[in-house]
Amino acid sequence: SPMRDRRAQSLPWKQRIRLKSAAELDKMAASGRALAEVFRAVPALVRAGATTREVDAAIERMIRDAGCMPSFKGYNGFPAASCISINEEVVHGIPSDRQLRDGDIVGVDVGLIKDGYHSDSAETFPVGEIDEEAERLLQVTRECLERAIAQVKAGNRISDIGVAVETHARAQGFSVVETLVGHGIGREMHEDPQVPNYRSYSTPDPVMEPGLVIAIEPMINAGVKRVVTAEDQWTVRTADGRLSAHFEHTVAVTADGPWVLTRR
């Protein structure tokens, strides 16, 4: 999830990046596998007539039945185990009694904690038959994530991820949300570094090293990149009301390339 923890960070950014040991990576992989297992069940939950509250309740039950804890519930006051965002909602939708309808696209963003380590993943699902633009948006956003993951190599820079996402999205006529970014992850849900989905020249640009674990999460809009936050102070929507999609994986940097911990 792109939810940012706004606590002051006093250490220089290089010292704040927490590389994981082999033992920690094993624990993060176990957390990622537990989350992938939850996501295997989500497509059957996202169907016409279901409410987002029902989807969230099923997700929370699966997380707890697996002996894990939901990362999001209570985080900065967020009231649910998952963020569920429909159509023009980009991220951070609060589960409610709203019913899903045929033709909707539904972003489901979930984090969990297993043995003290977080994993974080998101996917945007179609409900029944969706129109051609929605289908293309989902496909391109999925491709943006895969192109970003391909840049996760020791020696590459964090900015290589954003360049890969933005280049592909813009070539397909879509825009990239810039006010929300991916993040490092480990014992905390949000760690350094930030992982922008666009060419960013103003932030530190760390070199990726083995042991770095990041949540990569392109948020791609059909229309303009600008977003607005709803009155609930959580739900982020596109400013023009057009569709948005969100895909995310937790990915470790290894000497042999990317290790996607949340692949289902």
Side-chain angles (χ1 to χ4, degrees), residues 91-108:
V91 285
H92 301 166
I94 298 174
S96 70
D97 292 325
R98 179 176 175 179
Q99 285 189 315
L100 302 179
R101 300 187 301 186
D102 276 322
D104 285 342
I105 60 170
V106 184
V108 179

Side-chain angles (χ1 to χ4, degrees), residues 39-186:
F39 268 93
R40 283 189 194 98
V42 173
L45 300 173
V46 178
R47 54 183 172 73
T51 69
T52 55
R53 198 188 308 277
E54 289 166 348
V55 174
D56 176 70
I59 287 169
E60 182 170 358
R61 200 158 47 242
M62 286 187 285
I63 290 171
R64 294 189 187 279
D65 286 352
C68 304
M69 294 283 291
S71 298
F72 297 177
K73 196 161 195 181
Y75 184 84
N76 289 344
F78 191 77
S82 59
C83 301
I84 303 181
S85 309
I86 303 170
N87 296 334
E88 78 286 353
E89 295 172 351
V90 181
V91 285
H92 301 166
I94 298 174
S96 70
D97 292 325
R98 179 176 175 179
Q99 285 189 315
L100 302 179
R101 300 187 301 186
D102 276 322
D104 285 342
I105 60 170
V106 184
V108 179
D109 187 358
V110 186
L112 61 76
I113 311 163
K114 180 178 174 64
D115 295 334
Y117 286 87
H118 290 263
S119 53
D120 193 358
S121 189
E123 195 168 333
T124 303
F125 299 92
V127 181
E129 292 290 315
I130 59 174
D131 68 30
E132 190 177 336
E133 179 182 66
E135 190 73 62
R136 205 166 68 81
L137 179 65
L138 264 56
Q139 180 63 28
V140 169
T141 308
R142 199 180 290 112
E143 290 166 359
C144 283
L145 177 55
E146 294 305 326
R147 286 172 182 234
I149 290 168
Q151 294 300 317
V152 177
K153 301 171 187 170
N156 275 7
R157 291 190 174 271
I158 289 291
S159 61
D160 292 322
I161 291 169
V163 169
V165 171
E166 185 177 43
T167 300
H168 188 53
R170 289 178 66 161
Q172 301 299 318
F174 296 136
S175 64
V176 177
V177 174
E178 295 182 5
T179 54
L180 298 156
V181 296
H183 50 92
I185 185 168

